[in-house]
Amino acid sequence: MLDETDLDDLRTGSWTAPAPAEIPALHASLRRWLGHPYFLKVTCDALAAGNGTIFPSAVDPLEAAAILLSEEIDRLAAADLYAVDPTMTAEALTAGAHLPDLSVESSELPSPQGFMVFSAPIGYSDAPGESVPIVACSWGRSPHCAPPGGAVWLTFWSAPDIEQLIRVGVWAGLTIDEVRRQVDQSGPALVWDDEALLCWSLARLRSL
């Protein structure tokens, strides 16, 4: 039986950023999940439905999905890890809104490859019936997808609505603790939401 405290807990679900010391475990979990058949199927289905932003050259959606996931696993394997505090997150959002263009130089990146978790959502992605927060990004090389002049690949990660999953479990008769354990064991903490290729700036290309 749920008491009023339990109900309040269910009503107030939101993104809670991990502590900096917890990010290595989150990073390791994502690397494991990217190699799971579940992620391959979801990515393949998305590409087959035309929902991907970037399609690598491949014979079919399955091969394209395998390329995307393999590259992301490699990027995360070599990634430096970052935790962005509330002040810096707010400053980044303000500065990002005034960027003159979408080009970048490699020297402007914190590291060649990285995984960054924000203390608050940096945007939202519309999904059927909901809006999910974008809370992390990773970046690095994309040998299969980068143009001849080079680019940095960005992957944006969203936080699934854990509280909605908990509500469904509670409605099915489970306790909150039972549902939380199931959610923790049955899915990744973050989900690949979108991706982008950011080309190197013209100034850098002229110097090559």
Side-chain angles (χ1 to χ4, degrees), residues 154-165:
L154 298 170
T155 301
F156 297 97
W157 298 88
S158 63
D161 189 348
I162 300 298
E163 299 305 328
Q164 176 60 24
L165 297 177

Side-chain angles (χ1 to χ4, degrees), residues 102-105 146-147 149-152 196-202 204-205:
L102 293 178
S103 64
V104 67
E105 296 189 38
V152 59
L197 273 173
L198 204 55
C199 294
W200 300 128
S201 69
L202 291 177
R204 179 181 186 275
L205 294 179

Side-chain angles (χ1 to χ4, degrees), residues 16-88:
T16 300
E22 297 172 325
I23 291 179
L26 172 62
H27 169 255
S29 173
L30 289 180
R31 290 177 61 192
R32 287 194 301 271
W33 271 102
L34 284 172
H36 195 282
Y38 166 82
F39 249 95
L40 181 62
K41 182 181 187 307
V42 169
T43 306
C44 179
D45 290 348
L47 294 176
N51 294 330
T53 300
I54 299 173
F55 293 78
S57 178
V59 297
D60 56 31
L62 179 59
E63 182 184 16
I67 290 171
L68 290 177
L69 295 179
S70 175
E71 287 199 344
E72 187 64 28
I73 290 171
D74 289 343
R75 282 188 292 269
L76 288 178
D80 291 328
L81 307 184
Y82 300 88
V84 186
D85 65 24
T87 299
M88 187 172 289

